[in-house]
Amino acid sequence: MITAVPGTVGAGGDNVGVSNVAVGELAWGALVSLVGEISVACSAAGLARVGFGPPPFRPGPAGGGPGEPSGPAGAYLDAALAQLTEYFAGQRRAFDLPVDWPGMSPAQRQVLPVLLASAGYGQTVTYGELARRSGLADGSTTVPAARVAGQIMGSNPCAIVVPCHRVVAGDGLGGYSGGTGIEVKRWLLIFEGALPPTLDWDASGPGVS
């Protein structure tokens, strides 16, 4: 099931995790995936958000249904919803979507494009290696570079497409804040073939019996 609802992101806090820059109007949509409901938002520049859970905007009481997102944002939303649907159907391994990088924080812009470019489908990278690739250096702050990379993964506004689930610890999976947490990360990595399936892995989704 796919629905699309438009909404305006302003100063009311609705753009938490998306941007501190004025992004104007975002086209919002949602799809029900194997890992639960996913909300998607696009600006006129491209993909601005992919998050777990419903979108913050719902159709108003008048009109009887959601409006149709229009213009570049609406076109990007249609493409994003279609490509995410293909991904969960096992029909897509790479996304062909522009990402609204200027709408992100400087730290996100430093690390997340490197992740997108260097960790493909079925691959993983450690927090430390991603920090090195991104030019984060130990000693530049009081926080180790690998931990800084982990914090940026936790604030990634475009989950799945910008694949923070492919970033792991040197001695395990590390953390994950999407959906129901680490089991979603494990499920996605098995789904992509980066990890061998466990006996309890269910192709219909994590936590589904």
Short mmCIF file of all heavy atoms in Angstrom, two decimals, residues 148-209:
data_model
loop_
_atom_site.label_atom_id
_atom_site.label_comp_id
_atom_site.label_asym_id
_atom_site.label_seq_id
_atom_site.Cartn_x
_atom_site.Cartn_y
_atom_site.Cartn_z
N VAL A 148 32.13 9.42 16.31
CA VAL A 148 31.50 10.52 15.58
C VAL A 148 30.74 9.97 14.37
O VAL A 148 29.60 10.35 14.10
CB VAL A 148 32.54 11.56 15.13
CG1 VAL A 148 31.91 12.60 14.21
CG2 VAL A 148 33.17 12.24 16.34
N ALA A 149 31.36 9.04 13.65
CA ALA A 149 30.69 8.42 12.51
C ALA A 149 29.42 7.71 12.96
O ALA A 149 28.38 7.79 12.28
CB ALA A 149 31.63 7.44 11.81
N GLY A 150 29.48 7.03 14.10
CA GLY A 150 28.29 6.36 14.62
C GLY A 150 27.18 7.34 14.97
O GLY A 150 26.00 7.07 14.71
N GLN A 151 27.55 8.48 15.54
CA GLN A 151 26.55 9.49 15.87
C GLN A 151 25.88 10.03 14.60
O GLN A 151 24.67 10.28 14.58
CB GLN A 151 27.20 10.62 16.66
CG GLN A 151 27.66 10.21 18.05
CD GLN A 151 28.50 11.27 18.73
OE1 GLN A 151 28.98 12.22 18.09
NE2 GLN A 151 28.71 11.12 20.03
N ILE A 152 26.66 10.19 13.54
CA ILE A 152 26.10 10.68 12.28
C ILE A 152 25.17 9.63 11.69
O ILE A 152 24.12 9.96 11.13
CB ILE A 152 27.23 11.06 11.31
CG1 ILE A 152 27.99 12.27 11.86
CG2 ILE A 152 26.68 11.36 9.91
CD1 ILE A 152 29.27 12.58 11.13
N MET A 153 25.53 8.34 11.82
CA MET A 153 24.62 7.30 11.35
C MET A 153 23.29 7.38 12.09
O MET A 153 22.22 7.19 11.50
CB MET A 153 25.23 5.90 11.55
CG MET A 153 26.48 5.61 10.76
SD MET A 153 26.30 5.85 8.97
CE MET A 153 27.06 7.50 8.79
N GLY A 154 23.34 7.66 13.38
CA GLY A 154 22.12 7.76 14.17
C GLY A 154 21.24 8.93 13.79
O GLY A 154 20.05 8.93 14.09
N SER A 155 21.83 9.94 13.13
CA SER A 155 21.05 11.11 12.72
C SER A 155 20.77 11.12 11.23
O SER A 155 20.29 12.13 10.69
CB SER A 155 21.81 12.40 13.10
OG SER A 155 22.99 12.56 12.30
N ASN A 156 21.08 10.02 10.55
CA ASN A 156 20.87 9.93 9.10
C ASN A 156 19.40 10.17 8.76
O ASN A 156 18.54 9.38 9.16
CB ASN A 156 21.31 8.55 8.61
CG ASN A 156 21.01 8.31 7.15
OD1 ASN A 156 20.83 9.24 6.37
ND2 ASN A 156 20.97 7.04 6.76
N PRO A 157 19.08 11.22 8.00
CA PRO A 157 17.67 11.48 7.70
C PRO A 157 17.11 10.64 6.56
O PRO A 157 15.91 10.67 6.32
CB PRO A 157 17.67 12.97 7.32
CG PRO A 157 19.02 13.20 6.75
CD PRO A 157 19.96 12.31 7.53
N CYS A 158 17.97 9.91 5.85
CA CYS A 158 17.51 9.16 4.67
C CYS A 158 17.88 7.69 4.79
O CYS A 158 18.71 7.17 4.04
CB CYS A 158 18.10 9.76 3.39
SG CYS A 158 17.54 11.43 3.02
N ALA A 159 17.29 7.02 5.78
CA ALA A 159 17.58 5.60 6.01
C ALA A 159 17.28 4.78 4.75
O ALA A 159 16.55 5.22 3.87
CB ALA A 159 16.74 5.09 7.17
N ILE A 160 17.85 3.60 4.68
CA ILE A 160 17.71 2.65 3.59
C ILE A 160 18.43 3.16 2.35
O ILE A 160 19.36 2.51 1.84
CB ILE A 160 16.25 2.31 3.23
CG1 ILE A 160 15.45 1.93 4.49
CG2 ILE A 160 16.21 1.21 2.19
CD1 ILE A 160 15.83 0.66 5.13
N VAL A 161 18.03 4.31 1.82
CA VAL A 161 18.65 4.84 0.60
C VAL A 161 20.10 5.24 0.88
O VAL A 161 21.01 4.87 0.13
CB VAL A 161 17.85 6.02 0.04
CG1 VAL A 161 18.57 6.64 -1.16
CG2 VAL A 161 16.45 5.57 -0.36
N VAL A 162 20.33 6.01 1.92
CA VAL A 162 21.68 6.29 2.41
C VAL A 162 21.93 5.23 3.48
O VAL A 162 21.41 5.34 4.59
CB VAL A 162 21.82 7.72 2.96
CG1 VAL A 162 23.24 7.97 3.45
CG2 VAL A 162 21.43 8.74 1.89
N PRO A 163 22.68 4.17 3.17
CA PRO A 163 22.55 2.89 3.89
C PRO A 163 23.32 2.81 5.21
O PRO A 163 24.30 2.07 5.32
CB PRO A 163 23.09 1.89 2.87
CG PRO A 163 24.15 2.66 2.12
CD PRO A 163 23.61 4.06 2.02
N CYS A 164 22.85 3.51 6.22
CA CYS A 164 23.51 3.43 7.52
C CYS A 164 23.41 2.04 8.12
O CYS A 164 24.19 1.69 9.01
CB CYS A 164 22.94 4.48 8.47
SG CYS A 164 21.16 4.46 8.67
N HIS A 165 22.47 1.21 7.63
CA HIS A 165 22.39 -0.16 8.14
C HIS A 165 23.60 -0.99 7.72
O HIS A 165 23.85 -2.05 8.30
CB HIS A 165 21.10 -0.84 7.66
CG HIS A 165 20.98 -0.96 6.17
ND1 HIS A 165 20.58 0.08 5.36
CD2 HIS A 165 21.20 -2.02 5.32
CE1 HIS A 165 20.56 -0.31 4.09
NE2 HIS A 165 20.93 -1.59 4.04
N ARG A 166 24.37 -0.51 6.75
CA ARG A 166 25.56 -1.24 6.30
C ARG A 166 26.82 -0.86 7.08
O ARG A 166 27.91 -1.35 6.77
CB ARG A 166 25.79 -0.99 4.80
CG ARG A 166 24.65 -1.51 3.93
CD ARG A 166 24.82 -1.17 2.46
NE ARG A 166 23.59 -1.48 1.72
CZ ARG A 166 23.26 -0.93 0.56
NH1 ARG A 166 24.06 -0.05 -0.01
NH2 ARG A 166 22.11 -1.27 -0.04
N VAL A 167 26.68 0.00 8.06
CA VAL A 167 27.83 0.42 8.88
C VAL A 167 27.79 -0.36 10.18
O VAL A 167 26.80 -0.30 10.92
CB VAL A 167 27.81 1.93 9.14
CG1 VAL A 167 29.10 2.36 9.84
CG2 VAL A 167 27.64 2.70 7.83
N VAL A 168 28.86 -1.08 10.46
CA VAL A 168 28.88 -2.00 11.59
C VAL A 168 30.09 -1.72 12.47
O VAL A 168 31.04 -1.05 12.07
CB VAL A 168 28.92 -3.47 11.11
CG1 VAL A 168 27.67 -3.79 10.29
CG2 VAL A 168 30.17 -3.75 10.28
N ALA A 169 30.05 -2.26 13.66
CA ALA A 169 31.18 -2.17 14.57
C ALA A 169 32.25 -3.17 14.17
O ALA A 169 31.98 -4.13 13.44
CB ALA A 169 30.71 -2.44 16.00
N GLY A 170 33.47 -2.96 14.66
CA GLY A 170 34.54 -3.89 14.35
C GLY A 170 34.34 -5.25 14.96
O GLY A 170 34.90 -6.24 14.49
N ASP A 171 33.51 -5.32 16.01
CA ASP A 171 33.32 -6.59 16.71
C ASP A 171 31.86 -7.02 16.75
O ASP A 171 31.45 -7.79 17.61
CB ASP A 171 33.86 -6.49 18.13
CG ASP A 171 33.21 -5.37 18.93
OD1 ASP A 171 32.40 -4.60 18.35
OD2 ASP A 171 33.50 -5.26 20.14
N GLY A 172 31.05 -6.51 15.83
CA GLY A 172 29.63 -6.87 15.84
C GLY A 172 28.83 -5.93 14.97
O GLY A 172 29.37 -5.17 14.17
N LEU A 173 27.51 -5.96 15.16
CA LEU A 173 26.64 -5.15 14.32
C LEU A 173 26.66 -3.67 14.66
O LEU A 173 26.37 -2.83 13.82
CB LEU A 173 25.19 -5.67 14.43
CG LEU A 173 24.88 -6.99 13.73
CD1 LEU A 173 23.40 -7.34 13.92
CD2 LEU A 173 25.20 -6.93 12.25
N GLY A 174 26.99 -3.33 15.90
CA GLY A 174 26.85 -1.95 16.32
C GLY A 174 25.40 -1.62 16.61
O GLY A 174 24.58 -2.51 16.83
N GLY A 175 25.05 -0.36 16.57
CA GLY A 175 23.69 0.05 16.91
C GLY A 175 22.87 0.36 15.67
O GLY A 175 23.37 0.40 14.55
N TYR A 176 21.59 0.58 15.91
CA TYR A 176 20.68 0.99 14.85
C TYR A 176 19.45 1.58 15.50
O TYR A 176 18.85 0.97 16.40
CB TYR A 176 20.29 -0.20 13.96
CG TYR A 176 19.66 0.20 12.65
CD1 TYR A 176 20.40 0.88 11.68
CD2 TYR A 176 18.34 -0.11 12.36
CE1 TYR A 176 19.84 1.23 10.47
CE2 TYR A 176 17.78 0.24 11.14
CZ TYR A 176 18.53 0.92 10.20
OH TYR A 176 17.97 1.28 8.99
N SER A 177 19.05 2.76 15.02
CA SER A 177 17.92 3.44 15.64
C SER A 177 16.66 3.36 14.81
O SER A 177 15.62 3.89 15.20
CB SER A 177 18.27 4.91 15.89
OG SER A 177 18.63 5.56 14.67
N GLY A 178 16.71 2.68 13.66
CA GLY A 178 15.54 2.62 12.79
C GLY A 178 14.58 1.52 13.16
O GLY A 178 14.97 0.43 13.57
N GLY A 179 13.31 1.79 13.03
CA GLY A 179 12.29 0.78 13.28
C GLY A 179 12.36 0.22 14.69
O GLY A 179 12.41 0.96 15.66
N THR A 180 12.42 -1.10 14.78
CA THR A 180 12.50 -1.75 16.09
C THR A 180 13.94 -1.93 16.55
O THR A 180 14.19 -2.62 17.53
CB THR A 180 11.79 -3.11 16.05
OG1 THR A 180 12.36 -3.91 15.00
CG2 THR A 180 10.30 -2.95 15.80
N GLY A 181 14.90 -1.32 15.84
CA GLY A 181 16.27 -1.33 16.31
C GLY A 181 17.14 -2.36 15.61
O GLY A 181 17.03 -2.59 14.40
N ILE A 182 18.02 -2.98 16.39
CA ILE A 182 19.08 -3.80 15.83
C ILE A 182 18.55 -4.97 15.00
O ILE A 182 19.21 -5.41 14.05
CB ILE A 182 20.01 -4.29 16.96
CG1 ILE A 182 21.31 -4.83 16.37
CG2 ILE A 182 19.31 -5.32 17.82
CD1 ILE A 182 22.16 -3.78 15.72
N GLU A 183 17.37 -5.48 15.32
CA GLU A 183 16.85 -6.60 14.54
C GLU A 183 16.47 -6.17 13.11
O GLU A 183 16.54 -6.98 12.19
CB GLU A 183 15.65 -7.24 15.25
CG GLU A 183 16.06 -8.04 16.47
CD GLU A 183 17.18 -9.05 16.19
OE1 GLU A 183 17.07 -9.78 15.18
OE2 GLU A 183 18.16 -9.07 16.95
N VAL A 184 16.09 -4.92 12.95
CA VAL A 184 15.85 -4.41 11.59
C VAL A 184 17.16 -4.35 10.83
O VAL A 184 17.24 -4.74 9.65
CB VAL A 184 15.18 -3.01 11.64
CG1 VAL A 184 15.17 -2.37 10.26
CG2 VAL A 184 13.76 -3.12 12.17
N LYS A 185 18.22 -3.89 11.48
CA LYS A 185 19.53 -3.84 10.83
C LYS A 185 19.98 -5.24 10.44
O LYS A 185 20.44 -5.47 9.31
CB LYS A 185 20.54 -3.21 11.79
CG LYS A 185 21.94 -3.04 11.21
CD LYS A 185 22.83 -2.30 12.21
CE LYS A 185 24.18 -1.92 11.62
NZ LYS A 185 25.00 -1.13 12.57
N ARG A 186 19.87 -6.19 11.36
CA ARG A 186 20.26 -7.56 11.06
C ARG A 186 19.43 -8.11 9.89
O ARG A 186 19.97 -8.75 8.98
CB ARG A 186 20.06 -8.44 12.30
CG ARG A 186 20.59 -9.87 12.13
CD ARG A 186 20.13 -10.76 13.29
NE ARG A 186 20.35 -10.15 14.58
CZ ARG A 186 21.52 -10.19 15.23
NH1 ARG A 186 22.55 -10.82 14.69
NH2 ARG A 186 21.63 -9.60 16.41
N TRP A 187 18.11 -7.85 9.91
CA TRP A 187 17.24 -8.36 8.86
C TRP A 187 17.65 -7.78 7.50
O TRP A 187 17.72 -8.51 6.51
CB TRP A 187 15.79 -8.01 9.16
CG TRP A 187 14.83 -8.71 8.24
CD1 TRP A 187 14.21 -9.92 8.44
CD2 TRP A 187 14.39 -8.25 6.95
NE1 TRP A 187 13.43 -10.24 7.36
CE2 TRP A 187 13.52 -9.24 6.43
CE3 TRP A 187 14.65 -7.11 6.19
CZ2 TRP A 187 12.91 -9.11 5.18
CZ3 TRP A 187 14.06 -6.99 4.94
CH2 TRP A 187 13.20 -7.97 4.45
N LEU A 188 17.92 -6.48 7.44
CA LEU A 188 18.31 -5.84 6.19
C LEU A 188 19.62 -6.41 5.65
O LEU A 188 19.76 -6.63 4.45
CB LEU A 188 18.42 -4.33 6.38
CG LEU A 188 17.11 -3.56 6.57
CD1 LEU A 188 17.39 -2.14 7.03
CD2 LEU A 188 16.27 -3.57 5.30
N LEU A 189 20.57 -6.65 6.52
CA LEU A 189 21.86 -7.17 6.08
C LEU A 189 21.73 -8.61 5.58
O LEU A 189 22.40 -9.00 4.61
CB LEU A 189 22.89 -7.08 7.22
CG LEU A 189 23.31 -5.65 7.60
CD1 LEU A 189 24.25 -5.67 8.79
CD2 LEU A 189 23.99 -4.96 6.41
N ILE A 190 20.89 -9.41 6.20
CA ILE A 190 20.63 -10.75 5.69
C ILE A 190 19.87 -10.68 4.37
O ILE A 190 20.18 -11.40 3.42
CB ILE A 190 19.86 -11.59 6.73
CG1 ILE A 190 20.73 -11.83 7.98
CG2 ILE A 190 19.42 -12.92 6.13
CD1 ILE A 190 19.99 -12.51 9.12
N PHE A 191 18.89 -9.80 4.31
CA PHE A 191 18.10 -9.61 3.09
C PHE A 191 19.00 -9.27 1.91
O PHE A 191 18.80 -9.76 0.79
CB PHE A 191 17.08 -8.49 3.34
CG PHE A 191 16.26 -8.08 2.15
CD1 PHE A 191 15.27 -8.92 1.65
CD2 PHE A 191 16.46 -6.85 1.54
CE1 PHE A 191 14.50 -8.53 0.55
CE2 PHE A 191 15.70 -6.47 0.44
CZ PHE A 191 14.72 -7.30 -0.05
N GLU A 192 20.03 -8.44 2.14
CA GLU A 192 20.94 -8.02 1.08
C GLU A 192 22.05 -9.04 0.83
O GLU A 192 22.80 -8.90 -0.15
CB GLU A 192 21.56 -6.67 1.43
CG GLU A 192 20.57 -5.52 1.44
CD GLU A 192 21.24 -4.17 1.69
OE1 GLU A 192 22.47 -4.15 1.92
OE2 GLU A 192 20.53 -3.15 1.64
N GLY A 193 22.19 -10.03 1.70
CA GLY A 193 23.24 -11.02 1.52
C GLY A 193 24.56 -10.67 2.17
O GLY A 193 25.56 -11.37 1.96
N ALA A 194 24.59 -9.60 2.96
CA ALA A 194 25.82 -9.22 3.65
C ALA A 194 26.10 -10.13 4.84
O ALA A 194 27.24 -10.26 5.27
CB ALA A 194 25.75 -7.77 4.11
N LEU A 195 25.06 -10.75 5.38
CA LEU A 195 25.18 -11.72 6.46
C LEU A 195 24.48 -13.01 6.04
O LEU A 195 23.48 -12.96 5.32
CB LEU A 195 24.52 -11.19 7.75
CG LEU A 195 25.17 -10.02 8.48
CD1 LEU A 195 24.30 -9.63 9.67
CD2 LEU A 195 26.58 -10.36 8.93
N PRO A 196 24.98 -14.16 6.50
CA PRO A 196 24.25 -15.40 6.20
C PRO A 196 22.96 -15.46 7.00
O PRO A 196 22.88 -14.94 8.12
CB PRO A 196 25.24 -16.49 6.67
CG PRO A 196 26.09 -15.82 7.70
CD PRO A 196 26.21 -14.39 7.27
N PRO A 197 21.93 -16.06 6.45
CA PRO A 197 20.66 -16.12 7.18
C PRO A 197 20.78 -17.00 8.42
O PRO A 197 21.44 -18.04 8.39
CB PRO A 197 19.68 -16.72 6.16
CG PRO A 197 20.55 -17.41 5.15
CD PRO A 197 21.83 -16.66 5.11
N THR A 198 20.15 -16.57 9.49
CA THR A 198 20.07 -17.37 10.70
C THR A 198 18.85 -18.29 10.59
O THR A 198 17.99 -18.11 9.74
CB THR A 198 19.94 -16.47 11.93
OG1 THR A 198 18.81 -15.60 11.76
CG2 THR A 198 21.19 -15.62 12.11
N LEU A 199 18.80 -19.28 11.48
CA LEU A 199 17.70 -20.25 11.43
C LEU A 199 16.35 -19.59 11.65
O LEU A 199 15.33 -20.07 11.15
CB LEU A 199 17.93 -21.35 12.46
CG LEU A 199 19.10 -22.30 12.18
CD1 LEU A 199 19.27 -23.28 13.33
CD2 LEU A 199 18.89 -23.06 10.87
N ASP A 200 16.34 -18.47 12.42
CA ASP A 200 15.06 -17.83 12.71
C ASP A 200 14.77 -16.65 11.79
O ASP A 200 13.79 -15.93 11.99
CB ASP A 200 15.02 -17.37 14.17
CG ASP A 200 16.11 -16.34 14.49
OD1 ASP A 200 17.02 -16.15 13.65
OD2 ASP A 200 16.07 -15.76 15.59
N TRP A 201 15.61 -16.45 10.75
CA TRP A 201 15.37 -15.33 9.84
C TRP A 201 14.10 -15.58 9.04
O TRP A 201 13.89 -16.69 8.53
CB TRP A 201 16.54 -15.13 8.89
CG TRP A 201 16.42 -13.88 8.06
CD1 TRP A 201 16.66 -12.60 8.46
CD2 TRP A 201 16.02 -13.80 6.69
NE1 TRP A 201 16.44 -11.72 7.43
CE2 TRP A 201 16.04 -12.44 6.33
CE3 TRP A 201 15.65 -14.75 5.73
CZ2 TRP A 201 15.71 -11.98 5.05
CZ3 TRP A 201 15.30 -14.30 4.44
CH2 TRP A 201 15.34 -12.94 4.12
N ASP A 202 13.27 -14.56 8.93
CA ASP A 202 11.98 -14.69 8.24
C ASP A 202 11.95 -13.71 7.08
O ASP A 202 12.05 -12.49 7.30
CB ASP A 202 10.84 -14.42 9.23
CG ASP A 202 9.48 -14.78 8.66
OD1 ASP A 202 9.27 -14.68 7.45
OD2 ASP A 202 8.61 -15.20 9.46
N ALA A 203 11.80 -14.21 5.88
CA ALA A 203 11.79 -13.33 4.70
C ALA A 203 10.62 -12.36 4.69
O ALA A 203 10.64 -11.38 3.95
CB ALA A 203 11.75 -14.19 3.43
N SER A 204 9.60 -12.62 5.51
CA SER A 204 8.45 -11.72 5.55
C SER A 204 8.66 -10.53 6.48
O SER A 204 7.80 -9.68 6.59
CB SER A 204 7.19 -12.48 5.98
OG SER A 204 7.35 -13.03 7.26
N GLY A 205 9.84 -10.45 7.10
CA GLY A 205 10.15 -9.28 7.90
C GLY A 205 10.60 -9.62 9.29
O GLY A 205 10.31 -10.72 9.79
N PRO A 206 11.31 -8.72 9.98
CA PRO A 206 11.76 -8.98 11.33
C PRO A 206 10.59 -9.03 12.31
O PRO A 206 9.66 -8.23 12.24
CB PRO A 206 12.68 -7.79 11.64
CG PRO A 206 12.20 -6.70 10.73
CD PRO A 206 11.71 -7.41 9.49
N GLY A 207 10.62 -9.99 13.18
CA GLY A 207 9.59 -10.08 14.19
C GLY A 207 8.29 -10.66 13.71
O GLY A 207 7.29 -10.67 14.41
N VAL A 208 8.26 -11.16 12.47
CA VAL A 208 7.04 -11.74 11.91
C VAL A 208 7.13 -13.24 12.03
O VAL A 208 8.10 -13.85 11.62
CB VAL A 208 6.85 -11.35 10.43
CG1 VAL A 208 5.60 -12.01 9.87
CG2 VAL A 208 6.76 -9.85 10.30
N SER A 209 6.14 -13.86 12.63
CA SER A 209 6.18 -15.32 12.81
C SER A 209 5.25 -16.01 11.83
O SER A 209 4.40 -15.37 11.22
CB SER A 209 5.80 -15.67 14.23
OG SER A 209 4.51 -15.14 14.55
#
